[in-house]
Coordinates of all heavy atoms in Angstrom, one line a residue:
M104 N 61.9 118.0 2.8 CA 62.1 116.7 2.5 C 61.7 115.7 3.5 O 61.6 116.2 4.7 CB 63.6 116.4 2.0 CG 64.0 117.4 0.9 SD 65.8 117.5 0.7 CE 66.2 116.0 -0.1
L119 N 76.8 98.5 5.5 CA 77.7 98.9 4.5 C 79.1 98.9 4.9 O 80.0 98.4 4.3 CB 77.3 100.4 4.0 CG 78.3 101.0 3.0 CD1 78.2 100.3 1.7 CD2 78.0 102.5 2.8
F147 N 59.4 115.7 -13.0 CA 58.4 116.7 -13.2 C 59.0 118.1 -13.4 O 60.0 118.4 -12.7 CB 57.6 116.8 -11.9 CG 56.5 117.9 -11.8 CD1 55.4 117.8 -12.6 CD2 56.6 119.0 -11.0 CE1 54.4 118.8 -12.6 CE2 55.7 120.0 -11.0 CZ 54.6 119.9 -11.8
V216 N 87.7 131.0 1.8 CA 87.0 132.2 2.2 C 86.6 132.2 3.7 O 86.2 131.1 4.1 CB 85.7 132.3 1.3 CG1 84.8 133.4 1.9 CG2 86.1 132.6 -0.1
G269 N 88.6 122.8 31.2 CA 88.4 124.0 32.1 C 88.7 125.3 31.4 O 89.0 126.3 32.0
G298 N 86.0 120.6 11.2 CA 84.9 119.9 10.5 C 85.2 118.4 10.3 O 86.3 118.0 10.8
E307 N 96.9 130.0 9.3 CA 98.2 130.7 9.5 C 98.3 132.1 9.1 O 99.2 132.9 9.4 CB 99.4 129.9 8.8 CG 99.3 130.0 7.3 CD 100.5 129.2 6.6 OE1 101.1 128.3 7.3 OE2 100.8 129.7 5.5
N334 N 92.2 112.0 18.4 CA 92.8 110.8 17.9 C 92.6 109.7 18.9 O 92.3 108.6 18.6 CB 94.3 111.0 17.6 CG 94.5 111.4 16.2 OD1 93.5 111.2 15.4 ND2 95.6 112.1 15.9
K337 N 89.0 108.6 19.0 CA 88.5 107.9 17.8 C 89.2 106.6 17.6 O 88.6 105.6 17.0 CB 88.8 108.8 16.6 CG 87.9 110.0 16.5 CD 88.3 111.0 15.5 CE 87.4 112.1 15.4 NZ 87.8 113.3 14.5

Side-chain angles (χ1 to χ4, degrees):
M104 297 165 79
L119 176 68
F147 176 71
V216 166
E307 63 176 30
N334 269 338
K337 290 168 176 174

